[in-house]
Amino acid sequence: QVQLVESGGGLVQAGGSLRLSCAASGRTFSGYAMGWFRQAPGKEREFVAAIPWSSNSPYYRNSVKGRFTISRDNAKNTVYLEMSSLKPEDTAVYYCAAALGSRWTDGYWGQGTQVTVSS
């Protein structure tokens, strides 16, 4: 059974930092891109960041560039999201996903972890 389990969410003040982790299990993820998405209350889920298997070209949504860093440890099947200079508008449930060719709708998803940034 494939599982993606996020951790590291919580409550933080604006300007603070958090590190999210996502551990994947249940199959080999060789060749899979890993990504982070988020969904704020009343809004649609949106892309945050993604990193290919080779880790050579991560990419981000514009609003988090320079503040968030995605990385992965393929030996541990784990992807991370380092978030700094957090803003109240970063408040959302954060989901990780794994997919071939970044076809996220056909991939695997975690259950999400809540990130709340207070002003």
Side-chain angles (χ1 to χ4, degrees), residues 34-117:
M34 303 289 288
W36 288 95
F37 295 73
R38 67 187 182 188
Q39 187 167 19
K43 295 187 177 181
E44 296 203 349
R45 190 174 299 187
E46 63 183 21
F47 167 80
V48 176
I51 185 167
W53 169 257
S54 62
S55 302
N56 61 351
S57 55
Y59 48 103
Y60 304 87
R61 70 178 299 107
N62 286 338
S63 62
V64 308
K65 284 181 181 177
R67 300 189 298 122
F68 290 11
T69 301
I70 188 171
S71 61
R72 64 190 293 168
D73 184 336
N74 290 336
K76 296 181 179 179
N77 278 342
T78 300
V79 62
Y80 306 96
L81 187 68
E82 297 271 4
M83 306 184 295
S84 62
S85 302
L86 283 161
K87 305 175 181 180
E89 51 263 43
D90 294 318
T91 294
V93 177
Y94 282 70
Y95 300 88
C96 73
L100 288 171
S102 299
R103 295 188 295 271
W104 306 110
T105 55
D106 296 333
Y108 302 100
W109 289 80
Q111 292 300 304
T113 185
Q114 176 71 47
V115 172
T116 303
V117 184

